[in-house]
Amino acid sequence: MNKEIKFVSSYSGGKDGVLALYRAIKSGYEPVRLLTTYNENAGRSWFHGVPVEILNKVSQLIDIPLDLVKTGVGDDYTKDFEKALLKLKDNGINACVFGDIDIQAHYDWCDSRCKVANIESIFPLWNESRKELVYEFIESGFKAVITIVDSSRLSERFLGRTLTKELMAEIVAEGADICGEDGEYHTFVYDGPLFKESIDFKFDEIIRNGNYSILPLLLE
């Protein structure tokens, strides 16, 4: 293991972040923490909407401690993320791994936060084929379920379905991006080569918020 890189992984619960974490570990970097931004008002993680009980279960099953960044929106979000990175740097972290693929604004935001903390930003998936990355994720043995869709661009019928190559073809046929990189859908990874065992979960009732349809997760 390359002890020179001790990293925190920006963890959303979704497929791209998990694949980035997996690649970083395979590269010999040492994972020290998972870092997840958390919306206290909603009681779930930002963007992917994962409840804390399931976040903690993931941390346990992949054997990487979890840090929650409890934060709001806008400037508060940015400042709280920077504070979390600075605290981790004081505890020996020297890099942060992100799952972004090709949206420059996302790259710039993440990289700027790392510059403030004086740590390295690492993007294991950067500028690779969206289709090939999804296929790699599936072929590696990871399992992820669709938990959020932008119903203006992708039907609610995709909620609760586990990613397969056949499902990816259905998503493309609806005119959505295969990777959901533009926000068409979000996922939760519940099994795969990083996990000691699969996470047992169930679905709650669908929540609709504007264009977004959300299928909440609960631990079994």
Side-chain angles (χ1 to χ4, degrees), residues 4 26 67 83 116 139 195 197-200:
E4 293 181 3
K26 288 204 299 181
D67 282 359
K83 287 177 185 176
V116 168
E139 291 168 357
F195 291 73
E197 60 186 51
S198 178
I199 295 177
D200 291 326

Side-chain angles (χ1 to χ4, degrees), residues 72-128:
V73 297
D75 289 343
D76 285 344
Y77 187 98
T78 297
K79 290 175 182 177
D80 289 337
F81 197 90
E82 290 173 354
K83 287 177 185 176
L85 290 181
L86 284 163
K87 181 178 178 181
L88 287 165
K89 183 178 186 296
D90 288 342
N91 288 296
I93 301 295
N94 57 24
C96 187
V97 167
F98 300 93
D100 298 280
I101 298 173
D102 56 22
I103 297 178
Q104 190 64 47
H106 292 179
Y107 181 106
D108 292 343
W109 187 91
C110 298
D111 187 57
S112 294
R113 307 292 71 77
C114 289
K115 281 184 168 64
V116 168
N118 196 27
I119 63 174
E120 183 180 355
S121 60
I122 299 175
F123 297 83
L125 316 183
W126 189 248
N127 272 340
E128 294 193 30

Side-chain angles (χ1 to χ4, degrees), residues 14-155:
K15 59 179 175 46
D16 302 329
V18 169
L19 183 59
L21 169 63
Y22 183 55
R23 280 195 177 183
I25 291 171
K26 288 204 299 181
S27 294
Y29 304 153
E30 181 181 353
V32 180
R33 311 291 290 190
L34 302 175
L35 188 64
T36 301
T37 54
Y38 190 76
N39 184 337
E40 284 191 286
N41 291 332
R44 298 176 182 274
S45 66
W46 277 101
F47 310 116
H48 287 238
V50 183
V52 68
E53 295 84 1
I54 292 182
L55 293 170
N56 285 330
K57 189 67 175 179
V58 171
S59 172
Q60 173 190 334
L61 290 177
I62 67 176
D63 200 24
I64 304 174
L66 171 73
D67 282 359
L68 287 181
V69 182
K70 297 177 181 179
T71 186
V73 297
D75 289 343
D76 285 344
Y77 187 98
T78 297
K79 290 175 182 177
D80 289 337
F81 197 90
E82 290 173 354
K83 287 177 185 176
L85 290 181
L86 284 163
K87 181 178 178 181
L88 287 165
K89 183 178 186 296
D90 288 342
N91 288 296
I93 301 295
N94 57 24
C96 187
V97 167
F98 300 93
D100 298 280
I101 298 173
D102 56 22
I103 297 178
Q104 190 64 47
H106 292 179
Y107 181 106
D108 292 343
W109 187 91
C110 298
D111 187 57
S112 294
R113 307 292 71 77
C114 289
K115 281 184 168 64
V116 168
N118 196 27
I119 63 174
E120 183 180 355
S121 60
I122 299 175
F123 297 83
L125 316 183
W126 189 248
N127 272 340
E128 294 193 30
S129 161
R130 294 181 180 186
K131 178 179 179 179
E132 290 178 9
L133 288 170
V134 175
Y135 278 20
E136 177 185 337
F137 175 85
I138 295 168
E139 291 168 357
S140 295
F142 287 107
K143 295 180 181 178
V145 64
I146 294 177
T147 57
I148 301 174
V149 297
D150 178 347
S151 57
S152 69
R153 296 185 286 173
L154 194 63
S155 169

